[in-house]
Amino acid sequence: MPTIYEYQPTAWIRVRGEDAPTFLQSQFSNELQQTGPNPVIYGLWLTRKGKTCADSFIFHQAEKEFLVFSYFCPAATIIDKMEENIIADEVELEDLTSTVSAISWWGDKSASFLSHMELNEPLSGSFIETAGKYLMRGKRSKGDNYDLIVPKDQTVALKSQIDAFGATEKVYRASEEELHWERLKSRIPAIPNDIGPDDLPQEGELENDALSFDKGCFLGQEVMARLHSMGRVQRKIFPVHSEGPPPPTLPCDLFDQENVVGQLRSAASDGKSWIGHALLRNRNKDTLSGLSLKANDAPRVYIDKSRK
């Protein structure tokens, strides 16, 4: 059965104007000049030093019009990042976040739900727009998963469609905790919780999906090129697991005896145990057998070395 998560996007921003294509190309970490129909590109908004301010998907809606969408990064953060670099560019930014809602779904019979919604399956890296709705392949799970963004005035109709599907097929409505469990199980970092303003994209293994090393200059590009040639960073996100309830406050330090060796950035529980993402120094990963949440406490957090 498909698992469905209903949510409010944190960013849905229209970017348009004569200079919108060149401006976004100079700011975004990934290549926006894509061929093919209706491209939607995942990437990052970096500082000049290559640190990770935010992530988003960019929908190329028209020749000089784009939509910027994010799961977790606030629209204000992304808009501020763009505005600080608009000098003489003819670019208009409009925050439309409050006008839309969305659903994600994954798991068995995801394609059946797609068919029930009378939607075609989008190609990888492309979106489908129909009646004001935007459909794309998402980043919620390592398996097939989809996101549908709809105008707020279509939310009631969307819920009715979900209920109608549930009348003949089993549907599971996920909680936010279950959403993060699927994400963590799939080793997908969340921006800015797992990788944020003090971190490099490579520390979250984002270089393959979110960075282009072939496009022209973009904000943070020099640092990205240098790291790419070096081939490594000092820290990296690792999957961890533990029994019992997760820590009540995140991020929190992780200890090897009395020494702080990293931070637990995010965690999700199934009620009996929890899994998470920890940012650790690369040099420690093979020598650490177990970590604790307090100095000199008994180890209870373990690196999942089968997925490191």
Side-chain angles (χ1 to χ4, degrees), residues 86-108:
I86 295 175
I87 308 300
D89 305 281
E90 188 178 323
V91 177
E92 176 188 337
L93 309 178
E94 186 178 5
D95 185 357
L96 302 175
T97 310
S98 64
T99 69
V100 296
S101 59
I103 60 170
S104 297
W105 70 95
W106 61 89
D108 293 341

Side-chain angles (χ1 to χ4, degrees), residues 175 177-178 180-181 184 242 244-246 267-275:
S175 66
E177 189 80 0
E178 290 166 324
H180 286 296
W181 181 278
L184 290 164
S242 182
S269 172
D270 66 357
K272 298 178 181 178
S273 61
W274 58 267
I275 57 176

Side-chain angles (χ1 to χ4, degrees), residues 121-306:
E121 184 165 355
L123 298 173
S124 179
S126 296
F127 70 91
I128 293 173
E129 180 187 3
T130 177
K133 302 188 289 286
Y134 292 80
L135 173 70
M136 70 171 191
R137 289 179 174 270
K139 288 181 70 67
R140 299 294 201 182
S141 170
K142 64 182 178 182
D144 287 340
N145 62 115
Y146 306 90
D147 284 281
L148 181 66
I149 302 112
V150 303
K152 274 283 175 64
D153 60 9
Q154 295 186 30
T155 303
V156 173
L158 177 62
K159 290 180 182 293
S160 296
Q161 287 179 295
I162 297 172
D163 290 340
F165 184 80
T168 57
E169 301 276 2
K170 288 185 178 180
V171 172
Y172 186 79
R173 281 182 162 91
S175 66
E176 184 176 6
E177 189 80 0
E178 290 166 324
L179 172 82
H180 286 296
W181 181 278
E182 181 67 25
R183 175 183 68 77
L184 290 164
K185 184 181 70 175
S186 300
R187 278 208 70 187
I188 300 172
I191 314 298
N193 288 350
D194 289 334
I195 297 294
D198 296 322
D199 309 314
L200 297 161
Q202 290 84 350
E203 293 173 333
E205 298 182 330
L206 292 164
E207 60 269 32
N208 293 329
D209 291 339
L211 299 176
S212 170
F213 298 100
D214 299 321
K215 66 181 285 189
C217 291
F218 61 90
L219 204 63
Q221 183 263 344
E222 289 185 7
V223 177
M224 296 299 99
R226 196 177 312 133
L227 286 170
H228 187 56
S229 64
M230 291 169 54
R232 64 175 183 172
V233 287
Q234 297 300 314
R235 306 181 303 170
K236 191 165 283 189
I237 284 285
F238 289 92
V240 294
H241 62 92
S242 182
E243 299 298 316
T249 303
L250 295 174
C252 67
D253 288 338
L254 291 171
F255 295 83
D256 178 31
Q257 299 181 15
E258 74 275 9
N259 300 313
V260 176
V261 294
Q263 272 193 336
L264 179 64
R265 291 293 179 89
S266 63
S269 172
D270 66 357
K272 298 178 181 178
S273 61
W274 58 267
I275 57 176
H277 277 160
L279 189 65
L280 305 171
R281 288 192 175 274
N282 269 329
R283 68 186 182 206
N284 292 331
K285 67 180 184 297
D286 294 321
T287 60
L288 298 173
S289 57
L291 306 174
S292 57
L293 297 168
K294 295 180 181 178
N296 295 312
D297 206 356
R300 56 168 290 206
V301 181
Y302 299 93
I303 302 172
D304 187 349
K305 294 187 178 181
S306 67

